[in-house]
Amino acid sequence: MTIPQQQRPPEELTPAAYGEGLPSPWYPSLQLPPPRRSYLWPLLCALLVLSAAVAVAGGVATAAALRGGGRAPTAATWVEVDAKAIDLVLQRRTEAVQRKDAEEWMADVDQRDPAFTKRQRQEFDNLTKLPFAQLEFERIPQSVVKMAAFLPPGAFEQYHAAVRVVPVTVRHRIDGVDSRPVATPWLAVFAFTGHKWVIAGDGAGKDLPTGEAGQPWDAAGPIAVVRNARVTAVISADTGPADGGQGLLELATTGLEQVAAVKPGGWDGKVLLTAVADRRIFDTYFAESQDRVAQVAAIAVPYYSAVVEWANRPAYATTRIVFNPSELSAAKGELQHDLTHEFTHAAMGPVTGPYTPRWVVEGFAEYVAYRDGHFAAAGIRQALGDLAITAFPDDKQFYEEPRNYVAGWLACRMIAEQYGQDKLVAFYEAFLRLSEVDSVAREVLGVTRAQLEQQWRDYVDAQRRG
């Protein structure tokens, strides 16, 4: 999944240049769009099922594919995949976390690689810190050839034909946060060694499923969990905030209250926030554009009842918030804005569809974050600069121009002021049923798209004049 990016503006256009309470042209947060709902979706899922036990002859052919067309091992060296044995390993992992039994967890790990062994011990420790109401590891049948693309370097040479990348869904619920199970992906490398199947590594490479290696338990160091009735925050235990995360909880609670004032129902009203020092957790969502990671402060990631890349039309489950660790030292006002903005995405997640325009998604989040603010005309003029206000921003170019956030914010603010806040919420929700702005505007507001755009242009002109 391609994550839309934002560009950092010149130094003179940073948020600090506008003073307290003025909108900045750079809003360093974003939301992953939901999957397109189509009979062709998801195209990346070949839906080729790995049988419970691959025949020896088939295994040799697969081995050739794993080697990228190289010489396959002889049939005598091939070890059949025992799906039942792998399922038992996954079951034992669940039980080990529930019982907090580190020895049981490590018994199914190939410990010849010190670095991987250390990561596994840390992962177990992190998992036991999280307040799970439900946790299970489920093997998902997929094409063995497709999964071979995620074999880490050297794995085939070390284990030869007796190695597989097995897609696993980590199905879980966080106690006090999730009302329904959440599915996150894990690409587990299984190898047959010592007369049994063991976990020998993690999948690697490009095009990893969304969220792989980006979960709080994947952090390289120890985590700590701080929580209240509505927020569960995961921070680094050794390098976290000096106040133990209490300040972050207070800001998060205020953000949730601001969101609830606009969207009081229709969502859980609770969030899981990951704010750890390990950059990998955040960077994994930018695999195709690592150069732009520093430009984004936080990301809202929608999750579903099944892993999007492995299932057809999964149901929405929740939205997780992941912070860029370099942004956690930002000023209190900036953090408050970012949290409120991202929590708005979480609140609107259940009613965000594939046809909800980005200017509506991001503009609504800005409307909630700045709802109680008062802005001088000079600040709005400076924030917009020479941005042409003609037609609503197009989805494909939205993130290429940071000032589109300002344009979207003013469009949503205009709708709320001229038609009422409830109408703005209804306008957003209508895109679940309708795919065009014109249709939604006619049904909810009683105007055409052209009329709505003219109202928006007039409103922006008035705001610029003050």
Side-chain angles (χ1 to χ4, degrees), residues 356-431:
T356 312
R358 305 314 297 167
W359 69 265
V360 174
V361 172
E362 301 294 358
F364 185 87
E366 289 299 279
Y367 166 76
V368 176
Y370 284 127
R371 177 170 169 263
D372 297 327
H374 300 281
F375 308 98
I380 292 177
R381 286 197 301 271
Q382 195 170 13
L384 286 170
D386 60 357
L387 181 69
I389 301 298
T390 53
F392 294 131
D394 179 76
D395 278 8
K396 293 180 180 179
Q397 284 80 43
F398 184 88
Y399 292 107
E400 295 178 4
E401 172 52 78
R403 291 173 297 180
N404 282 335
Y405 272 72
V406 184
W409 165 60
L410 289 171
C412 290
R413 187 179 177 207
M414 180 272 294
I415 293 172
E417 290 183 3
Q418 295 190 14
Y419 295 92
Q421 184 172 276
D422 289 345
K423 285 290 188 180
L424 173 60
V425 175
F427 182 83
Y428 191 120
E429 293 175 340
F431 285 99

Side-chain angles (χ1 to χ4, degrees), residues 108-344:
D108 289 310
V109 175
D110 185 358
Q111 301 184 40
R112 287 178 289 181
D113 180 351
F116 178 65
T117 300
K118 180 180 179 181
R119 290 200 306 273
Q120 281 293 296
R121 292 187 185 279
Q122 188 62 69
E123 181 178 333
F124 170 79
D125 183 64
N126 289 343
L127 282 165
T128 60
K129 298 287 181 58
L130 290 161
F132 289 112
Q134 174 184 346
L135 175 67
E136 58 189 53
F137 298 87
E138 177 188 358
R139 177 180 55 86
I140 305 299
Q142 288 287 298
S143 163
V144 67
V145 174
K146 174 185 171 183
M147 291 297 106
F150 301 111
L151 267 177
F156 194 91
E157 288 72 19
Q158 182 175 2
Y159 298 104
H160 304 292
V163 64
R164 290 288 184 276
V165 175
V166 177
V168 176
T169 290
V170 183
R171 201 177 311 281
H172 64 283
R173 284 187 300 113
I174 300 297
D175 184 45
V177 174
D178 300 322
S179 62
R180 57 188 65 84
V182 179
T184 58
W186 171 39
L187 293 177
V189 176
F190 274 84
F192 190 82
T193 182
H195 305 290
K196 64 177 184 178
W197 286 97
V198 294
I199 299 168
D202 299 307
K206 298 177 63 177
D207 302 320
L208 293 170
T210 303
E212 163 68 9
Q215 303 307 316
W217 54 81
D218 292 318
I223 63 172
V225 176
V226 292
R227 61 190 315 206
N228 58 27
R230 302 178 66 182
V231 182
T232 297
V234 182
I235 62 176
S236 294
D238 48 1
T239 58
D243 65 355
Q246 293 305 310
L248 187 62
L249 278 184
E250 291 175 6
L251 290 174
T253 300
T254 298
L256 283 176
E257 291 172 351
Q258 291 174 335
V259 175
V262 179
K263 180 67 174 173
W267 61 298
D268 288 337
K270 302 173 182 179
V271 294
L272 175 67
L273 169 66
T274 300
V276 296
D278 185 359
R279 289 209 58 87
R280 285 185 319 118
I281 304 303
F282 186 76
D283 292 2
T284 188
Y285 298 100
F286 298 85
E288 297 180 356
S289 49
Q290 288 292 312
D291 58 319
R292 295 186 178 182
V293 170
Q295 302 166 10
V296 179
I299 187 168
V301 186
Y303 281 101
Y304 300 83
S305 59
V307 175
V308 168
E309 289 84 350
W310 303 337
N312 187 22
R313 298 173 67 101
Y316 172 84
T318 193
T319 294
R320 303 291 198 215
I321 310 302
V322 185
F323 255 80
N324 185 335
S326 64
E327 298 294 328
L328 292 172
S329 59
K332 183 177 179 180
E334 291 182 43
L335 276 177
Q336 185 66 78
H337 170 273
D338 292 337
L339 287 166
T340 305
H341 179 108
E342 298 305 329
F343 293 166
T344 304

Side-chain angles (χ1 to χ4, degrees), residues 438-450:
D438 188 69
S439 300
V440 172
R442 288 175 184 272
E443 178 182 290
V444 179
L445 306 178
V447 296
T448 66
R449 172 178 178 144

